[in-house]
Amino acid sequence: MKQPISIVPFLVAVCIAHSEAPPRQQAHVLDATITHPVHLSYLLFLPASYAAKPDTRWPLILYLHGGSLRGGNVEQLRTLGLPHKLESEPDFPFVVVSPQCPGGEIWTDTEAIDALLDYVIRDYRIDQQRIYITGHSMGGRGALYFAYRLPSVLQRCWL
C-alpha cells in the first residue's frame, strides 16, 4: 500500500516564506508646515541595488495616481499603476515616490508635492537632472497642473 504524500507542510512553508517578504515599497508620511500644514502619505520605492551602490545617484519618478485611489489608506496605491508594477520589479532602476491624494481632493496642492520632492531629494541619492513627473487620469492632470503652477520647479523635472 502506498503512503499518502503530504504537501501541507510544503504549502505552509511556502506561504510563510511569501508572507515574510518585505514589500518593495515602504509607506511614509510627510508632516511639514510650508504655507499651511501638510500631512501627505506616500509610498517610496528604492531599487533593490540602491544600498549596494552608495556612489550612484538615481533618477526619480513622482507618480500621481488617478481619482479612484484617493483617501486615507496608502496601501491601496499598490493595486494599480506604477506602484502595482513595482511590487514585482525589485530592480526597476528609479527611485519612485507615489503620494496619496486625500479624499475629496484633486492634485492641486503643488506646495505639498514640492515639499515632498524636496524631502526626497535631500534624504536620498537623487540625480537632480533626471526627475520625472507622471500620472494617469487625475494624476496626469495633476502632473500638468504642477508644471503650470510651479514652472521654476519644472526646470528640474520632466513630464
Side-chain angles (χ1 to χ4, degrees), residues 99-115:
Q100 184 175 37
C101 189
E105 300 288 328
I106 59 175
W107 291 115
T108 56
D109 192 349
T110 54
E111 292 176 339
I113 297 299
D114 190 35

Side-chain angles (χ1 to χ4, degrees), residues 24-28 42-47 50 58-64 77 81-87 89 91-99 116-117 120 124 126 132 134:
R24 303 274 182 232
Q25 302 165 86
Q26 299 299 314
H28 298 270
Y42 63 97
L43 294 177
L44 177 68
F45 172 85
L46 298 175
Y50 181 88
W58 295 85
L60 171 73
I61 296 175
L62 171 68
Y63 175 78
L64 304 178
L77 298 183
L82 184 56
H84 176 69
K85 182 68 174 163
L86 294 173
E87 290 298 308
E89 295 287 334
D91 293 320
F92 189 72
F94 292 81
V95 171
V96 180
V97 178
S98 304
L116 177 59
L117 280 176
V120 172
Y124 296 90
I126 303 301
Y132 307 91
T134 190

Side-chain angles (χ1 to χ4, degrees), residues 7 16 35 47 56 61 68 78 84 89 91 110 126 133 158:
I7 61 169
I16 289 172
T35 59
T56 300
I61 296 175
S68 67
R78 298 178 197 275
H84 176 69
E89 295 287 334
D91 293 320
T110 54
I126 303 301
I133 302 173
W158 293 90

